[in-house]
Amino acid sequence: MEKNTNSRYFLLGILFVVAIVAYVLSMQKGVVEIVETKSEDDFVKITIQIPKLKNTRDIDLENQFNNMIQDKLKAIVEDVKSMAQEAANDDMLHGKYEVHISTQVKYQSRDFVSLVMYYYTFTGGAHGNTIIETYNLDLSTNKIITLKDIFNSNCDYETIIKEEILKQIEERMTDFFEESIEYVKNENISERTFTISKDGLEIYYQDYEIAPHSSGLPVFKIDITKIRNCLKYNLK
């Protein structure tokens, strides 16, 4: 009888250790998984990288974020497919339409995620159209945050960011519209699309917003040394 009891305790001990190891390993996993899907038919070519939030402390946040992304991507694909079908019906489809959605994770930890998504669609014409969206999530509060949320309230982060952007524009003025300087000076930078990593901040502008399409999508990098003392977050 005593031997059987000891065996049961030993087995329970092994199971407990296995459970602890599994938990520790799950804590070390990333919180963002990129899932890539591809498809193609007679009218449309589709390549999508879907960011999937996982291994967080809140399954509701994961579901909310993942469903939001899925719904957005589904709407884009269905819209392009519908336009392609309509063009084909009118004998106006002279090449396949395209949807290409890519994702770059700039930073991820158990407490913070920063990523950027590029939504490219081609529906005929000289070139396609790209829309940039960024997502910054504070996983300790389960909130999607804005640029102003990452800075301490006593820091004049807007001036720091604008001065850096204006400096970079002036260094490559021929790449930008003449009115880009005034545009940046007068805008509400706190609502600007951004990502952040341990190396610094990246500020994004949409195609044609401050520069012609030929200049590419404007992205301004601000080194972490210029903003570290203002940040609420300690990104390692």
Side-chain angles (χ1 to χ4, degrees):
M1 184 69 176
E2 182 178 350
K3 185 177 181 181
N4 290 337
T5 301
N6 290 338
S7 296
R8 284 198 294 270
Y9 282 140
F10 178 76
L11 180 59
L12 288 173
I14 293 295
L15 292 175
F16 178 75
V17 171
V18 170
I20 292 295
V21 171
Y23 176 78
V24 171
L25 289 176
S26 71
M27 292 299 100
Q28 293 175 344
K29 291 181 180 178
V31 294
V32 181
E33 177 186 6
I34 305 299
V35 180
E36 185 167 320
T37 62
K38 295 182 179 182
S39 64
E40 187 171 356
D41 58 26
D42 292 337
F43 302 147
V44 183
K45 181 178 181 181
I46 301 169
T47 302
I48 298 178
Q49 291 180 333
I50 305 171
K52 182 180 179 182
L53 200 62
K54 63 178 187 176
N55 297 325
T56 72
R57 304 178 184 88
D58 191 327
I59 190 65
D60 290 335
L61 174 67
E62 293 178 19
N63 291 334
Q64 179 185 357
F65 178 81
N66 294 339
N67 290 338
M68 175 185 68
I69 296 296
Q70 287 276 9
D71 290 345
K72 182 184 292 288
L73 301 189
K74 182 180 178 181
I76 292 172
V77 169
E78 289 182 349
D79 189 36
V80 172
K81 282 186 173 181
S82 177
M83 288 189 289
Q85 183 65 61
E86 184 177 342
N89 293 342
D90 295 337
D91 198 26
M92 295 293 291
L93 187 68
H94 304 303
K96 290 186 180 183
Y97 285 7
E98 291 184 40
V99 177
H100 191 284
I101 299 172
S102 59
T103 300
Q104 295 178 6
V105 180
K106 297 295 185 175
Y107 184 85
Q108 65 171 314
S109 70
R110 295 293 297 167
D111 296 317
F112 193 85
V113 167
S114 185
L115 62 86
V116 57
M117 297 184 68
Y118 297 90
Y119 299 84
Y120 171 84
T121 57
F122 176 76
T123 54
H127 55 75
N129 182 51
T130 301
I131 300 295
I132 304 172
E133 288 191 353
T134 61
Y135 296 94
N136 297 275
L137 294 92
D138 184 333
L139 301 181
S140 64
T141 60
N142 300 327
K143 292 181 179 179
I144 296 177
I145 60 176
T146 62
L147 183 60
K148 66 180 180 180
D149 294 325
I150 70 172
F151 292 103
N152 295 314
S153 58
N154 61 349
C155 177
D156 187 9
Y157 69 92
E158 294 188 30
T159 296
I160 296 172
I161 293 172
K162 284 189 176 184
E163 286 180 351
E164 285 298 313
I165 292 174
L166 292 171
K167 177 183 175 183
Q168 293 178 41
I169 290 177
E170 290 168 353
E171 290 173 349
R172 304 184 288 118
M173 195 64 223
T174 55
D175 292 338
F176 297 90
F177 296 138
E178 290 184 6
E179 60 271 23
S180 62
I181 295 228
E182 286 303 312
Y183 184 93
V184 171
K185 284 181 177 179
N186 295 325
E187 76 168 320
N188 182 358
I189 202 72
S190 65
E191 298 177 355
R192 178 54 53 188
T193 301
F194 77 100
T195 56
I196 190 167
S197 71
K198 63 181 181 179
D199 298 320
L201 189 68
E202 290 186 317
I203 303 293
Y204 300 82
Y205 287 80
Q206 302 295 344
D207 200 11
Y208 290 111
E209 190 174 5
I210 61 172
H213 178 80
S214 58
S215 295
L217 297 169
V219 181
F220 299 92
K221 297 182 179 182
I222 300 170
D223 193 87
I224 193 69
T225 57
K226 298 183 182 300
I227 58 172
R228 181 182 285 119
N229 293 336
C230 289
L231 289 175
K232 290 180 181 177
Y233 298 89
N234 183 18
L235 305 180
K236 297 180 180 179

